[in-house]
Amino acid sequence: MSDVTKNKLPSKAILLEQYKINRSGFETILSTIEYKLRDILTLPSRPTLKSRVKSFESYYRKVVRVKPSIKEEFPLPLLTDIMGIRIICAFLEDLAVVEQQIKDNFVVKEVERKGASLSFKEFGYESVHILVEIPKELLDAAACTGFTLPQDCVCEIQIRTILQDAWAEVEHELIYKSEFSPFDLPLKRKLASINASLSLADIIFQEIRDYQNKLNREIDFRRNAFYSKADAIARDELPLPMGNIEQNQQINSPYVRGTIDDMLLAAIQAHNAGEMEKAVKIYTDIVESKPTPNNIILSVILKHRGMAFFAQNKYDEALKDFQQSVLYQPENYRSLYYIGIVHSVQGDNEKAIEFFNQSLAYNEHQSHVYYRRALSNYNLSRYVEASSDLATAKSMGLDDDDCRLLQDCLMKKFDMNM
C-alpha cells in the first residue's frame, strides 16, 4: 500500500468530517487500553491515569506542522499521539517501575525521555513517552464494528511525577499554546528557576520516601522481634536474643541532624542493633526535649521506649511507658495491645484480655491480637473462646508454628472433654 504524498493534505473541512466519524472508535480503543493499564499497574501509591483523544484543533495544528503520511486504508493522517494516556506517579522511583510494567504487558515501539538532553541552563518538562502497539485483539474487535485502523497504529503513554505534570501543564499554557514565547532573559530565568525548584522538590520527596521505607522496614523488624520474644515467653522458652542483628544499619537521613526525626532514626538503629541502653537514652532525650513534643509524638516515642524496656525484661518500666503512650493518644491500638502483652507475660490473663479487647475496638484487623487473646483464653481454660479467636487469626493469614501448637493443644482439650 502506498502513502499519499505528505504535502497533499485534505482540506480542514474534510479532515474535520473524518475526525468526527472516527473519534468514537479512538475513544473506545483508548478506554480499553486505560482499563488494562489500571489492572496491571501495581505501586504502593496509586497513580492517577488521564486519557484523551487529541482535540481536533490540536490535531489539525500538528498535522499541518508535521504533514504525516495518509494510509490508503484509513482516511485520516495518523499522529502517534492522537490517542494519549498520562500516568501520574507520586515519586521518582515509581517511573521506572511503571515503565517496566508497560514493557511487560505491551509491545513497545519507542521510548522517548523528554527533557533528558537539556543542560542545567535550560528549562523544560521531563517526561517518559512510550509508544505502544494497539493490541491485535483490540484492532480485531474494532474492525467488527466497522472501525479499521492500520496495523502500525500506536497509542502514546506518558509517565510523569505529580510535579513534572504540574510543570508541563503550566508550561503548555504559557509557551506552547501561546503565540508569544518568552524571549526576555529575566522571564526565562524565572521559568528556569521554577523548573529547577520543582525538580529539586521531586528529589527531596524521593529522599524522604526512601528514608520512610527504610525506617518502616526497621520498625517492622523490631516489632517482629518484640512479638517473637513475647511468643517465646508464652511457650516457656528462653527469649530470643535481641542483639543478634547485623550492625550495618546506617541510613543517610534527609532530616537535619538533632531533629526529632533524626533522633528517632538513631534510636531505632540502636534498638535493632541490640544497644538497648543507648536506644532508651535517645528515646528519653526526645521525650524530655524542649519545646515539649505534641501528644501524638510523645505517644509514639513512649511506645518505642516501652518496647526497648521489654527487650531488657524490664516489664514494669515497659508497662508504664505503654500506659503513658495511651494517655497521650487513647486510640493508639498498638500500645493497648502491648499493655495486654505485658499483662499476659506477667500472668494476668484477665487484664490482658481487657486490653486486647480495647485494641481490637480501634482496629479489628489485627491477627496477632486475636492469637494473643486466644492464648490468654486458653490459659483461663476458656477453650471455645480460644478456638474462635484462633480461627479468626488464621482467617487473617496468621498460621505459624505457635498457631499450630495452640491448635494442637486445643484439640487435645476438646478430645478430653468428649
Side-chain angles (χ1 to χ4, degrees), residues 303-323:
K303 178 187 67 178
H304 289 324
R305 191 174 71 177
M307 294 172 79
F309 281 134
F310 187 90
Q312 300 174 83
N313 301 328
K314 297 179 179 179
Y315 302 129
D316 289 337
E317 290 93 331
L319 183 60
K320 181 179 177 182
D321 271 355
F322 294 147
Q323 289 170 334

Side-chain angles (χ1 to χ4, degrees), residues 22-67:
N22 291 285
R23 182 182 176 94
S24 62
F26 287 129
E27 289 174 341
T28 299
I29 287 179
L30 190 60
S31 64
T32 306
I33 295 175
E34 181 183 351
Y35 181 83
K36 181 176 180 179
L37 282 170
R38 290 185 186 279
D39 187 52
I40 66 170
L41 294 179
T42 54
L43 292 170
S45 53
R46 185 180 296 276
T48 299
L49 272 70
K50 300 178 182 178
S51 62
R52 62 98 185 100
V53 174
K54 209 171 188 68
S55 70
F56 177 74
E57 288 302 324
S58 180
Y59 165 80
Y60 183 71
R61 283 197 302 269
K62 188 167 183 179
V63 163
V64 171
R65 188 173 74 251
V66 303
K67 297 181 174 61

Side-chain angles (χ1 to χ4, degrees), residues 123 175 178-189 191:
F123 60 88
I175 299 174
S178 174
E179 294 183 5
F180 168 75
S181 287
F183 295 108
D184 182 64
L185 187 58
L187 187 56
K188 292 180 73 172
R189 284 175 175 164
L191 287 170

Side-chain angles (χ1 to χ4, degrees), residues 266-267 270-271 275-283:
H271 195 147
E275 301 172 1
M276 297 303 163
E277 292 295 339
K278 179 179 178 181
V280 167
K281 182 181 184 308
I282 299 173
Y283 290 137

Side-chain angles (χ1 to χ4, degrees), residues 93-377:
E93 67 179 356
D94 298 334
L95 303 183
V97 175
V98 169
E99 181 178 340
Q100 188 57 52
Q101 289 174 353
I102 291 172
K103 289 178 177 178
D104 290 342
N105 290 276
F106 291 88
V107 176
V108 173
K109 305 298 290 184
E110 180 183 318
V111 178
E112 182 182 6
R113 304 186 190 284
K114 298 278 188 180
S117 61
L118 294 176
S119 75
F120 71 93
K121 296 180 181 179
E122 298 175 293
F123 60 88
Y125 76 90
E126 295 183 25
S127 181
V128 179
H129 291 200
I130 303 176
L131 299 183
V132 300
E133 278 187 7
I134 309 300
K136 186 177 182 304
E137 60 271 20
L138 287 188
L139 291 176
D140 293 343
C144 292
T145 66
F147 182 65
T148 304
L149 278 172
Q151 293 293 320
D152 60 351
C153 184
V154 296
C155 174
E156 182 182 79
I157 302 175
Q158 301 177 0
I159 315 171
R160 301 172 182 166
T161 65
I162 295 170
L163 295 183
Q164 287 171 350
D165 187 60
W167 167 258
E169 292 285 359
V170 174
E171 184 197 43
H172 190 73
E173 293 293 328
L174 289 178
I175 299 174
Y176 184 77
K177 289 176 64 176
S178 174
E179 294 183 5
F180 168 75
S181 287
F183 295 108
D184 182 64
L185 187 58
L187 187 56
K188 292 180 73 172
R189 284 175 175 164
K190 288 179 181 178
L191 287 170
S193 175
I194 293 170
N195 186 45
S197 297
L198 291 173
S199 297
L200 179 60
D202 252 340
I203 293 170
I204 293 173
F205 283 155
Q206 185 60 55
E207 287 179 349
I208 294 173
R209 180 67 161 184
D210 291 341
Y211 162 82
Q212 289 177 330
N213 288 339
K214 178 67 175 176
L215 182 59
N216 286 336
R217 286 194 295 271
E218 294 212 7
I219 288 175
D220 286 343
F221 184 90
R222 194 268 331 276
R223 185 182 298 129
N224 289 333
F226 175 79
Y227 294 160
S228 295
K229 174 166 180 164
D231 292 341
I233 294 172
R235 296 192 304 268
D236 292 326
E237 297 176 1
L238 290 175
L240 299 180
M242 300 295 288
N244 226 1
I245 303 168
E246 293 184 5
Q247 297 296 315
N248 124 8
Q249 302 284 342
Q250 294 303 314
I251 307 175
N252 293 322
S253 170
Y255 293 108
V256 177
R257 189 170 181 82
T259 62
I260 288 178
D261 294 290
D262 183 68
M263 294 169 72
L264 175 60
L265 175 60
I268 291 176
Q269 285 180 309
H271 195 147
N272 281 355
E275 301 172 1
M276 297 303 163
E277 292 295 339
K278 179 179 178 181
V280 167
K281 182 181 184 308
I282 299 173
Y283 290 137
T284 302
D285 288 343
I286 297 174
V287 171
E288 296 177 352
S289 61
K290 301 295 182 183
T292 303
N294 65 44
N295 286 357
I296 293 176
I297 293 174
L298 287 171
S299 178
V300 170
I301 301 304
L302 287 166
K303 178 187 67 178
H304 289 324
R305 191 174 71 177
M307 294 172 79
F309 281 134
F310 187 90
Q312 300 174 83
N313 301 328
K314 297 179 179 179
Y315 302 129
D316 289 337
E317 290 93 331
L319 183 60
K320 181 179 177 182
D321 271 355
F322 294 147
Q323 289 170 334
Q324 282 291 113
S325 174
V326 172
L327 285 177
Y328 283 118
Q329 190 182 15
E331 67 276 16
N332 191 328
Y333 60 88
R334 290 198 192 280
S335 292
L336 288 166
Y337 171 39
Y338 297 163
I339 292 172
I341 286 180
V342 176
H343 282 307
S344 66
V345 166
Q346 293 179 327
D348 192 345
N349 287 289
E350 289 284 9
K351 202 73 173 173
I353 290 174
E354 176 187 334
F355 283 94
F356 294 150
N357 291 342
Q358 290 184 41
S359 179
L360 290 170
Y362 285 110
N363 181 0
E364 61 182 349
H365 305 290
Q366 300 182 81
S367 58
H368 241 92
V369 183
Y370 284 104
Y371 164 74
R372 295 294 307 186
R373 193 171 71 178
L375 192 58
S376 288
N377 275 316

Side-chain angles (χ1 to χ4, degrees), residues 371 390 394 399-409:
Y371 164 74
L390 184 58
K394 294 177 73 172
D399 190 18
D400 56 15
D401 289 341
D402 289 316
C403 283
R404 287 187 282 275
L405 177 62
L406 180 56
Q407 183 71 57
D408 290 342
C409 291

